[in-house]
Amino acid sequence: MAILEVQNIHKSFGRTEVLKGISFSLEKGNVLSIIGSSGSGKTTLLRCINFLETADTGRITVDGDVIFDSDTQAKLSPREKRDKQLKIGLVFQQFNLFPQYNVLDNVTLAPRLRAKEREDYKKNKKQINAEIEEKAKALLEKMGLSDKLQNYPCELSGGQQQRVSIARAMALEPKILFFDEPTSALDPELTGEILKVIRELAEEHMTMVIVTHEMNFAKDVSDHIVFMDHGVIAEEGRAEDLFNNPQSERLKAFLNNYD
């Protein structure tokens, strides 16, 4: 069964229809890359799935749980909506780290806030916070940042900041990790280190959805590709099929721009 199912998502801003009935699914442990020209609706789609925008119509299911349904969403309590949102993690283009917190605090903040909702938090506060900190340190070690725990975002390179944001997104143990142009804010020489991290996560079978303009990377790391054009999915399929044998003239023209 698919871990992510997106069904008939529509989204308009005023009179401009940005998403025109988007539907696709993703299997657990797979990597899906969403490609397409600027303005094709890629980021809007990601924002709708991650609740940063509210789709006008449609349905989104993660791991068998409906996290969005335009017919019933208004009936959910804020707590129910938040619980559903925690199934997905998002790594932003611009890092979005909290400048007033050091690296370790940036990664532990959300898990600590979440832990306060547990019934046993007051009784086991010290132990729970210690466990959260240890998990955060392990994630930062995985990102190659064990020596930066006490540093602040302004003291880090762009690549280091993006690795902190990846650790932060993973700290709540989401079912799916989403990346919105994860290298677009980086200098070219720093792009490789972030792609290396994502490639390592893919090798560990982390389920991921990546919006990217890095075509060679998308071809290399993805199991499935969705090509968007003017708010619709113009073509989709296995990465090797779409890159080696595109069927639509629009996709052929798009890929030719990256040769």
Side-chain angles (χ1 to χ4, degrees):
M1 186 178 78
I3 192 171
L4 172 66
E5 294 180 276
V6 176
Q7 299 171 292
N8 199 32
I9 295 296
H10 288 256
K11 178 64 179 177
S12 295
F13 295 97
R15 296 182 179 179
T16 302
E17 189 178 15
V18 178
L19 300 178
K20 306 172 184 178
I22 301 295
S23 298
F24 66 88
S25 62
L26 174 64
E27 297 297 317
K28 183 177 181 180
N30 283 1
V31 178
L32 180 147
S33 287
I34 302 175
I35 63 174
S37 302
S38 297
S40 60
K42 306 183 304 296
T43 293
T44 298
L45 173 61
L46 220 62
R47 289 176 65 86
C48 285
I49 297 174
N50 284 273
F51 294 93
L52 297 177
E53 300 285 353
T54 302
D56 298 327
T57 61
R59 179 183 173 97
I60 301 168
T61 304
V62 174
D63 200 24
D65 183 22
V66 177
I67 66 169
F68 173 80
D69 189 325
S70 54
D71 293 332
T72 62
Q73 190 70 4
K75 301 176 183 178
L76 295 177
S77 68
R79 173 74 177 268
E80 289 173 325
K81 289 182 181 179
R82 187 168 66 253
D83 287 344
K84 292 177 181 294
Q85 291 171 358
L86 292 175
K87 290 180 175 287
I88 51 184
L90 176 61
V91 178
F92 296 90
Q93 293 182 28
Q94 301 292 337
F95 322 137
N96 286 15
L97 299 176
F98 297 107
Q100 70 272 34
Y101 296 134
N102 64 30
V103 166
L104 185 60
D105 287 342
N106 261 281
V107 177
T108 58
L109 178 61
R112 289 183 191 276
L113 292 173
R114 179 63 172 165
K116 290 180 180 179
E117 298 178 352
R118 290 172 48 172
E119 293 182 359
D120 63 338
Y121 180 74
K122 289 184 178 180
K123 183 178 180 181
N124 301 303
K125 178 180 178 179
K126 186 175 181 179
Q127 177 184 344
I128 292 171
N129 285 333
E131 291 172 352
I132 289 172
E133 185 168 307
E134 286 306 306
K135 288 180 180 179
K137 287 180 178 178
L139 283 171
L140 289 165
E141 181 179 5
K142 185 182 183 72
M143 297 296 139
L145 296 169
S146 293
D147 60 337
K148 302 293 184 181
L149 302 184
Q150 302 304 318
N151 288 82
Y152 288 83
C154 64
E155 300 173 316
L156 305 178
S157 70
Q160 290 169 335
Q161 290 186 59
Q162 189 63 298
R163 280 182 277 153
V164 174
S165 70
I166 294 172
R168 182 180 62 180
M170 295 178 65
L172 288 170
E173 301 179 347
K175 298 289 184 181
I176 308 170
L177 196 56
F178 290 79
F179 292 85
D180 184 13
E181 297 284 4
T183 61
S184 65
L186 300 177
D187 293 332
E189 61 267 26
L190 297 177
T191 295
E193 66 183 74
I194 299 305
L195 299 183
K196 179 177 180 290
V197 169
I198 298 174
R199 187 175 285 108
E200 290 172 350
L201 293 174
E203 291 172 354
E204 296 171 4
H205 304 291
M206 179 73 193
T207 308
M208 293 183 285
V209 177
I210 307 168
V211 168
T212 183
H213 283 107
E214 300 281 348
M215 292 300 105
N216 289 332
F217 174 72
K219 181 179 180 181
D220 179 49
V221 78
S222 305
D223 299 289
H224 197 83
I225 299 288
V226 164
F227 171 59
M228 291 186 62
D229 186 42
H230 292 93
V232 302
I233 294 178
E235 194 167 339
E236 67 172 311
R238 296 193 310 164
E240 59 186 87
D241 293 337
L242 261 72
F243 281 103
N244 295 331
N245 188 29
Q247 298 300 301
S248 66
E249 292 301 319
R250 184 67 190 90
L251 178 55
K252 291 177 184 178
F254 174 78
L255 293 177
N256 283 338
N257 291 328
Y258 289 90
D259 288 344

